[in-house]
Amino acid sequence: MSLREGGLIVTVDQDLCMGSGYCVVQQPDLFGADADGTAVPLLTATLSEAQAQGAAAAARICPAGAIEVHDTSL
């Protein structure tokens, strides 16, 4: 995953998230949980290369498929 001029951001679909917490355990610098246990991204800015790789790893382990990494340059 390479960064382009616009960069990459991570989002969590609140309607899909089932609160398993895998993302929070695996990437605590990128994800937290709200009062209901639903995952929330901690960073709303463009991700660094390492952060983008961590977010992509979290997206792969998310059982609900709620995490997405978006390229803002598209």
Side-chain angles (χ1 to χ4, degrees), residues 12 14 17 19-25 27-28 30-42:
V12 177
Q14 300 296 298
C17 180
S20 69
Y22 295 149
C23 59
V24 177
V25 171
Q27 302 293 329
L30 297 176
F31 300 96
D34 64 13
D36 295 327
T38 304
V40 292
L42 299 178

Side-chain angles (χ1 to χ4, degrees), residues 7-65:
L8 300 169
I9 61 168
V10 63
T11 60
V12 177
D13 185 325
Q14 300 296 298
D15 293 328
L16 291 178
C17 180
M18 55 192 249
S20 69
Y22 295 149
C23 59
V24 177
V25 171
Q26 293 292 322
Q27 302 293 329
D29 57 327
L30 297 176
F31 300 96
D34 64 13
D36 295 327
T38 304
V40 292
L42 299 178
L43 300 175
T44 56
T46 301
L47 303 174
S48 70
E49 182 87 27
Q51 290 168 332
Q53 289 175 355
R60 286 190 297 273
I61 65 168
C62 178

